[in-house]
């Protein structure tokens, strides 16, 4: 996303354009029956508050995708608590995996490749989020402001400014709520400042890959939360 | 917790990403100079590669009667002491269905982290390159045979490691912001590392790990490019990638590597 930009301000608009095609790629979530979509959404929301579970889930998805099972995955699954193990199985089944036996393993297979790739894509981005960012994202889910945050990124001008009078952005007028969002964005190397009736977003100097990850996670959670 | 502490340490001292943090304490003693490590490429650009230690060194997999004895240079690396402040405050009120959520709280956590004095052990690369000329890897070695069977894995050799010189304690502070019996709280986990000099004990922690001196907390590798006849070269420049010259079998996989990559980025610039 650095190509063709001369300033930090330009990075967000380039990232915005570059990630627009992702909306279409999350379509397998939108095509799910309402019940399945809600179940997957609820499971992922719980995952956001459980760092250890998220790490194992990402590892299992990775092995499932590659068709190769490394011993660490089995070890990590064994260390999960029984409710977490149940959630893991439920997630994989909802995401299009056919599990043979009690555990996911080499005998299992991906029956719905598109859906699984979409779910794994989102899980992999969540797993790479910086410390505590996933939990902050979970809070934003509970507050039902994920669509607001996604809209915020989409309507930013080239200078990184958006108008808080935009009806979709109204929830951000609340100072405390804005504080939570600010912390989430800072964790993803994006600084948010409220200026009168607008918000100014700037990418921090030398950002890591976190702004891209934030775009992806917000996009994915937004698609999955449509029905919810 | 150990993984988080070593990762945080590298954030401070290795912005360029040349070093890799050790995730499992159990792997620490497997990391010896010239140890072989496999690097698994991942599907998407934000995913960190996965590394697996093979419990053998480069010398162990050379064809018969060939030996390598690396020259290891040890030097001071850094004395790592960090002070972190985490100031959090906030109140949230919202309605979720019929349940009203109240959440908020204030807190200030100030913590210091220190692995103490760290040493670096580094293989003399010039010497290694000179010694490796005309040497060949035995690709029929059972371990390498298994690596070759997998897809997207590169053979690497460990050339440097960062070790502790004194006992350290890693502790985790769990901080939950919540009030008014709200159902949701922001839970933050702060990992703190303390070098032990006078047998000091940390209080007010939920989990505590004591790691011994001489524990490897980070390491550096060089990828190998292995030709079909077993000759190999070190990939010394960033642009040069390792791998195996021979063609891989086209085994069916559950989710095709390229298909998975292209699934999302087919319309995106690289």
């Amino acid at each position: 996303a650095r190509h063709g930009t001369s300033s930090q301000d330009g990075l967000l608009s380039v990232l915005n354009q570059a990630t627009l095609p992702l909306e279409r790629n999350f379509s397998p979530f939108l095509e799910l029956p309402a019940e399945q979509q809600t179940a997957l959404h609820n499971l992922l929301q719980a995952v956001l508050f459980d760092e250890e579970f998220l790490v194992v889930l990402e590892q299992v998805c990775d092995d499932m995708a590659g068709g190769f099972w490394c011993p660490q995955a089995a070890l990590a699954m064994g260390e999960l608590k029984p409710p977490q193990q149940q959630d893991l199985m439920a997630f994989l089944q909802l995401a299009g995996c056919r599990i043979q036996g009690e555990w996911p393993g080499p005998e299992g297979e991906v029956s719905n490749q598109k859906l699984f790739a979409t779910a794994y894509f989102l899980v992999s981005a969540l797993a790479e989020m910086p410390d505590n960012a996933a939990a902050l994202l979970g809070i934003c889910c509970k507050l039902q402001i994920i669509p607001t945050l996604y809209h915020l990124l989409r309507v930013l001008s080239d200078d990184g400014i958006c108008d808080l009078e935009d009806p979709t952005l109204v929830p951000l007028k609340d100072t405390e709520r804005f504080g939570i969002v600010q912390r989430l964005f800072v964790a993803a190397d994006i600084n948010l400042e409220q200026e009168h009736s607008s918000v100014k977003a700037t990418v921090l100097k030398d950002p890591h890959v976190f702004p891209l990850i934030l775009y992806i996670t917000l996009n994915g959670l937004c698609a999955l939360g449509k029905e919810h | 917790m150990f993984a988080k502490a070593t990762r945080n340490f590298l954030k401070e001292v290795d912005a360029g990403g040349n070093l890799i943090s050790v995730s499992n304490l159990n792997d620490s003693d497997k990391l010896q100079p010239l140890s072989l490590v496999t690097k698994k490429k991942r599907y998407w650009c934000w995913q960190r590669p996965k590394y697996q230690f093979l419990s053998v060194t480069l010398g162990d997999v050379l064809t018969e009667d060939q030996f390598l004895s690396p020259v290891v240079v040890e030097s001071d690396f850094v004395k790592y002491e960090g002070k972190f402040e985490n100031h959090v405050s906030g109140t949230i009120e919202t309605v979720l269905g019929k349940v009203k959520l109240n959440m908020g709280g204030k807190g200030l956590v100030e913590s210091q982290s220190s692995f103490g004095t760290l040493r670096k052990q580094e293989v003399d690369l010039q010497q290694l390159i000179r010694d490796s000329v005309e040497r060949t890897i035995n690709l029929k070695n059972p371990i390498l045979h298994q690596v070759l069977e997998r897809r997207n894995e590169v053979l690497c050799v460990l050339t440097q490691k960062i070790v502790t010189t004194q006992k350290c304690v890693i502790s985790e502070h769990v901080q939950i912001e919540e009030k008014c019996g709200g159902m949701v709280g922001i839970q933050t986990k702060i990992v703190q590392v303390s070098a032990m000099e006078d047998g000091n004990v940390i209080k007010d922690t939920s989990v505590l790990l004591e790691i011994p001196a001489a524990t490897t907390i980070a390491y550096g590798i060089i990828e190998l490019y292995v030709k079909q006849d077993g000759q190999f070269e070190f990939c010394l420049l960033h642009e040069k990638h390792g791998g195996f010259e021979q063609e891989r079998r086209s085994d069916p996989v559950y989710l095709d590597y390229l298909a998975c990559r292209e699934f999302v980025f087919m319309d995106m610039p690289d």
Side-chain angles (χ1 to χ4, degrees):
Chain A
R2 279 177 191 269
H3 293 293
T5 58
S6 55
S7 67
Q8 292 291 114
D9 281 353
L11 283 176
L12 277 174
S13 65
V14 173
L15 198 54
N16 205 347
Q17 286 167 27
T19 49
L20 260 176
L22 291 178
E23 282 185 13
R24 195 183 61 238
N25 294 108
F26 278 112
S27 59
F29 283 161
L30 300 172
E31 290 159 13
L32 286 175
E35 203 177 308
Q36 195 177 342
Q37 199 186 97
T38 305
L40 206 49
H41 180 266
N42 291 345
L43 269 175
L44 265 183
Q45 194 169 299
V47 167
L48 293 174
F49 294 102
D50 191 340
E51 214 175 318
E52 287 82 11
F53 181 36
L54 179 56
V55 171
V56 178
L57 180 62
E58 196 264 349
Q59 194 164 7
V60 171
C61 286
D62 192 55
D63 284 3
M64 206 95 198
F68 174 80
W69 284 80
C70 66
Q72 285 100 323
L75 202 69
M77 278 192 292
E79 283 172 5
L80 290 178
K81 297 177 190 85
Q84 290 173 317
Q85 290 174 355
Q86 284 167 13
D87 284 350
L88 179 76
M89 296 289 280
F91 180 88
L92 291 174
Q93 280 162 349
L94 286 166
C97 296
R98 206 173 287 138
I99 312 288
Q100 304 280 329
E102 283 181 49
W103 289 90
E107 313 81 30
E109 60 176 38
V110 178
S111 52
N112 185 340
Q113 290 221 359
K114 263 179 118 177
L115 175 61
F116 178 72
T118 310
Y120 174 36
F121 183 64
L122 179 54
V123 167
S124 77
L126 291 171
E128 294 290 339
M129 289 198 91
D131 289 350
N132 298 322
L136 287 165
L137 202 57
I139 295 289
C140 293
C141 276
K142 295 244 183 223
L143 295 174
Q144 296 183 308
I145 55 171
I146 295 293
T148 306
L149 303 188
Y150 184 55
H151 183 72
L152 167 76
L153 288 175
R154 285 284 174 241
V155 296
L156 285 175
S157 68
D158 286 351
D159 302 332
I161 296 171
C162 65
D163 189 359
L164 272 184
E165 296 307 319
D166 180 330
T168 316
L169 300 180
V170 165
L172 297 182
K173 282 186 171 177
D174 178 279
T175 317
E176 307 296 352
R177 203 171 298 192
F178 185 77
I180 297 286
V181 174
Q182 215 172 12
R183 281 176 63 187
L184 169 66
F185 275 57
V186 163
D189 292 340
I190 300 174
N191 190 47
L192 277 190
E193 288 298 332
Q194 209 164 337
E195 296 170 347
H196 306 295
S197 61
S198 62
V199 172
K200 163 98 174 145
T202 39
V203 175
L204 298 176
K205 203 181 169 196
D206 297 327
H208 192 52
V209 73
F210 298 135
L212 170 67
I213 291 178
L214 183 66
Y215 267 83
I216 292 167
T217 50
L218 288 176
N219 195 342
L221 289 171
C222 209
L224 200 54
K226 281 271 182 336
E227 201 57 47
H228 190 74
Chain B
M1 208 157 81
F2 179 72
K4 204 183 245 187
T6 54
R7 208 167 59 226
N8 286 345
F9 160 70
L10 282 194
K11 269 186 206 160
E12 302 295 328
V13 300
D14 185 48
N18 296 318
L19 291 171
I20 303 152
S21 59
V22 179
S23 312
N24 299 315
L25 202 49
N26 191 35
D27 289 330
S28 179
D29 53 351
K30 293 179 194 163
L31 299 168
Q32 300 305 329
L34 298 195
S35 285
L36 289 182
V37 179
T38 58
K39 176 180 176 181
K40 184 183 175 191
K41 292 177 196 167
R42 309 294 298 277
Y43 295 104
W44 295 296
C45 65
W46 58 86
Q47 290 180 294
R48 282 164 288 190
K50 271 187 179 177
Y51 298 94
Q52 195 181 346
F53 310 111
L54 296 184
S55 304
V56 290
T57 67
L58 179 60
D60 295 330
V61 296
L62 293 179
T63 39
E64 276 180 66
D65 304 328
Q66 295 185 351
F67 304 98
L68 267 184
S69 40
V71 176
V72 180
V73 183
E74 191 165 327
S75 58
D76 281 338
F77 185 64
V78 71
K79 185 166 182 177
Y80 175 68
E81 277 184 30
K83 188 175 177 183
F84 304 99
E85 272 188 16
N86 184 21
H87 184 213
V88 282
S89 67
T91 312
I92 297 170
E93 200 169 280
T94 186
V95 176
L96 184 66
K98 289 178 183 171
V99 186
K100 189 173 183 185
L101 304 175
N102 291 295
M103 183 184 66
K106 281 180 194 252
L108 174 66
V109 174
E110 193 178 277
S111 63
Q112 286 200 326
S113 273
S114 170
F115 274 110
T117 303
L118 296 166
R119 301 273 292 168
K120 177 164 78 167
Q121 295 176 2
E122 195 169 14
V123 173
D124 183 339
L125 268 184
Q126 294 302 324
Q127 183 74 41
L128 178 66
I129 292 165
R130 277 196 297 271
D131 289 351
S132 303
V133 174
E134 304 294 312
R135 300 280 206 280
T136 49
I137 287 176
N138 175 16
L139 290 172
K140 287 180 181 158
N141 180 292
I143 293 177
L144 292 188
H145 197 71
Q146 286 181 23
V147 175
L148 276 162
E149 279 182 344
R150 297 184 199 168
R151 291 161 60 98
N152 308 317
E153 291 202 15
V154 173
L155 200 60
C156 307
V157 63
L158 188 141
T159 53
Q160 53 178 312
K161 62 176 187 169
I162 310 297
V163 293
T164 58
T165 58
Q166 60 202 110
K167 265 194 215 172
C168 298
V169 167
I170 302 176
S171 54
E172 189 174 77
H173 300 258
V174 177
Q175 179 192 2
I176 300 170
E177 298 164 61
E178 220 168 8
K179 78 170 191 185
C180 305
M183 291 177 66
V184 181
I186 302 176
Q187 181 173 300
T188 48
K189 286 182 180 175
I190 297 155
V191 170
Q192 180 181 332
V193 192
S194 309
M196 289 174 75
E197 280 166 354
D198 308 314
N200 58 331
V201 178
I202 295 168
K203 290 175 184 167
D204 302 328
T205 54
S206 45
V207 188
L208 201 132
L209 285 181
E210 187 182 304
I211 61 167
T215 297
T216 304
I217 60 169
Y219 60 99
I221 51 164
I222 289 183
E223 293 185 17
L224 295 180
Y225 183 73
V226 186
K227 294 177 185 167
Q228 278 179 322
D229 60 2
Q231 284 188 23
F232 60 95
E233 53 188 80
F234 298 101
C235 303
L236 301 169
L237 302 174
H238 280 295
E239 309 88 83
K240 176 86 181 156
H241 297 291
F244 292 94
E245 189 182 39
Q246 69 188 70
E247 281 184 21
R248 301 286 176 84
R249 288 186 343 217
S250 53
D251 289 336
V253 288
Y254 289 74
L255 205 63
D256 184 71
Y257 175 74
L258 283 174
C260 210
R261 273 175 64 112
E262 285 167 5
F263 138 80
V264 181
F265 289 105
M266 53 195 161
D267 298 328
M268 283 183 69
D270 188 351

